[in-house]
Amino acid sequence: MADAADVLDKTGARTDEAADTITGARERIDALDDRIIGLVQERMAVSAVIQEARISSGGRRVNLSREMEVLGHYRDALGKPGTSLAMTLLELCRGRI
């Protein structure tokens, strides 16, 4: 088991109370990250279904007007960094264009 000095050093906190808060919050962040990764993987699978349907019907792999909607949605919800996040998600889901 780690001693108090190790916990304080690992969290960057200067008190036991702050270290406990940080440790608990980091556990929550790790759980949220796992959920986010799962949702991104689910989004990738749904996107693959859409792309397959579009391509098999003679359409293009990517619908740029839809991508602009997605970019706008993320930008409106999260500000400028949301656009970058959306671009990363789109790239993960449809590949580079």
Side-chain angles (χ1 to χ4, degrees), residues 4-92:
D6 289 339
V7 171
L8 293 177
D9 188 47
K10 187 174 183 179
T11 63
R14 299 195 179 222
T15 66
D16 289 337
E17 182 181 340
D20 290 344
T21 298
I22 291 166
T23 299
R26 284 181 177 170
E27 289 171 0
R28 181 76 175 123
I29 285 174
D30 290 345
L32 288 167
D33 284 344
D34 288 342
R35 288 175 49 200
I36 291 167
I37 290 166
L39 289 170
V40 169
Q41 290 170 331
E42 183 178 350
R43 190 187 194 290
M44 291 169 68
V46 172
S47 182
V49 169
I50 292 168
Q51 286 181 48
E52 178 59 34
R54 190 180 300 121
I55 291 167
S56 68
S57 72
R60 294 180 174 199
R61 179 173 62 97
V62 175
N63 180 330
L64 294 179
S65 64
R66 172 62 180 152
E67 290 199 358
M68 294 306 294
E69 288 177 22
V70 172
L71 291 169
H73 181 69
Y74 275 79
R75 182 191 60 247
D76 292 347
L78 302 172
K80 187 176 178 182
T83 303
S84 297
L85 177 59
M87 285 299 297
T88 298
L89 283 170
L90 290 169
E91 187 174 325
L92 281 168

